[in-house]
Amino acid sequence: MKVVFHEDFRMSYGQDPAAREGRIDCILDMISNDVEFVEAKPAKYDDIAKCHTTDHIKHVTELGLYKIAALAAGAAIQSANIGFEEPSFALVRPPGHHASSDFSWGYCFFNNIAIAIAKLKQEERIRRAIVLDIDHHDGDGTINILGVKGYTTILNPSETDPASYLAYVEESLSDNFDIIGVSAGFDSHKEDWGGVLATEHYREIGKIVKKASKKNGAACFAVMEGGYNQEVLGQNVMEFMHGVAEG
């Protein structure tokens, strides 16, 4: 699997849990021998402006976070493009799914996955998209930006037991679509904030995603969101990647 990454994502750019030192390193320690890295490039201003207001972009700039947030958005765009050829994973931070068009919270600034999908739609490369958000928290920013567009189905599983969770994911990915983007948060793990999924369940989710992608002849990519227990985060990410590769 190709992983879009940049060394700047290792930096601690703030005090929130998503910016915590070592968070990216614990993932790299697990996946580095199994993946092909692609260096991330920043998103262009016009691509960010497809999803965010001028005032919001100015706010992120005033926070001193435009550069790192634009780099994360650019990595998501690259990952989506690679996804037409093979599954891809954007290993980024800051995360993005709590970033609405004119407001953000939850450690997010620009909505990485929304920017990537909106760009593909404008370029007429897709007609219909699915965003599967497996983070413990709903991707309210993604709903705000893409939910009103009419071409994206956004799935936020809320089941509290693994069997029901996996069944929901499998059943919900049965419809026709041109691309599936996974907002890949790992804080639903039983040893993280959500307390629902075991590590092996991320492999199963990866398999389901790849199976649905193949069935629909669709592109497939993922973008890193949450996940804060560094003792299990790297293993969870690796299992998801292995599942996609095996599906």
Side-chain angles (χ1 to χ4, degrees), residues 118-186:
K119 180 175 174 62
L120 292 175
K121 178 62 174 177
Q122 185 185 56
E123 294 172 346
E124 298 184 345
R125 297 185 65 193
I126 60 169
R127 292 172 299 170
R128 183 158 181 254
I130 287 183
V131 173
L132 171 64
D133 192 327
I134 60 171
D135 193 274
H136 176 54
H137 306 94
D138 284 358
D140 56 311
T142 310
I143 294 169
N144 171 268
I145 294 170
L146 294 180
V148 298
K149 302 292 187 181
Y151 61 83
T152 304
T153 299
I154 302 166
L155 307 173
N156 288 277
S158 59
E159 285 67 23
T160 56
D161 68 275
S164 298
Y165 192 108
L166 294 174
Y168 170 83
V169 172
E170 188 161 23
E171 291 167 4
S172 299
L173 294 182
S174 61
D175 291 339
N176 292 326
F177 53 90
D178 303 306
I179 191 167
I180 176 169
V182 181
S183 274
F186 296 90

Side-chain angles (χ1 to χ4, degrees), residues 15-238:
Q15 299 300 313
D16 61 68
R20 182 182 168 193
E21 289 187 5
R23 184 166 178 263
I24 292 294
D25 295 286
C26 74
I27 299 171
L28 293 174
D29 288 345
M30 296 299 300
I31 70 170
S32 291
N33 293 330
D34 295 333
V35 302
E36 177 184 349
F37 289 103
V38 176
E39 185 171 10
K41 299 177 182 179
K44 296 178 180 179
Y45 183 94
D46 288 349
D47 291 328
I48 297 170
K50 290 181 178 69
C51 293
H52 295 289
T53 64
T54 301
D55 284 346
H56 180 67
I57 297 172
K58 181 180 178 181
H59 171 66
V60 174
T61 302
E62 290 172 345
L63 292 173
L65 294 171
Y66 179 89
K67 182 178 179 180
I68 190 67
L71 188 61
I77 292 171
Q78 289 171 263
S79 184
N81 283 320
I82 293 169
F84 285 92
E85 302 297 328
E86 61 182 283
S88 178
F89 191 101
L91 180 56
V92 306
R93 58 179 184 171
H97 72 151
H98 292 310
S100 296
S101 61
D102 59 352
F103 175 78
S104 62
W105 70 287
Y107 326 133
C108 301
F109 302 99
F110 295 148
N111 196 307
N112 306 317
I113 202 163
I115 290 169
I117 289 176
K119 180 175 174 62
L120 292 175
K121 178 62 174 177
Q122 185 185 56
E123 294 172 346
E124 298 184 345
R125 297 185 65 193
I126 60 169
R127 292 172 299 170
R128 183 158 181 254
I130 287 183
V131 173
L132 171 64
D133 192 327
I134 60 171
D135 193 274
H136 176 54
H137 306 94
D138 284 358
D140 56 311
T142 310
I143 294 169
N144 171 268
I145 294 170
L146 294 180
V148 298
K149 302 292 187 181
Y151 61 83
T152 304
T153 299
I154 302 166
L155 307 173
N156 288 277
S158 59
E159 285 67 23
T160 56
D161 68 275
S164 298
Y165 192 108
L166 294 174
Y168 170 83
V169 172
E170 188 161 23
E171 291 167 4
S172 299
L173 294 182
S174 61
D175 291 339
N176 292 326
F177 53 90
D178 303 306
I179 191 167
I180 176 169
V182 181
S183 274
F186 296 90
D187 48 353
S188 284
H189 190 267
K190 64 181 181 180
E191 295 179 27
D192 211 312
W193 294 353
V196 176
L197 301 175
T199 297
E200 60 265 24
H201 295 132
Y202 290 105
R203 183 183 288 249
E204 293 304 313
I205 292 170
K207 288 180 180 179
I208 293 169
V209 167
K210 181 62 176 301
K211 179 180 177 182
S213 172
K214 289 169 63 176
K215 178 181 177 181
N216 286 276
C220 175
F221 75 108
V223 183
M224 184 73 186
E225 301 284 0
Y228 306 102
N229 182 349
Q230 295 184 17
E231 296 297 319
V232 296
L233 178 57
Q235 184 73 33
N236 293 338
V237 174
M238 185 178 70

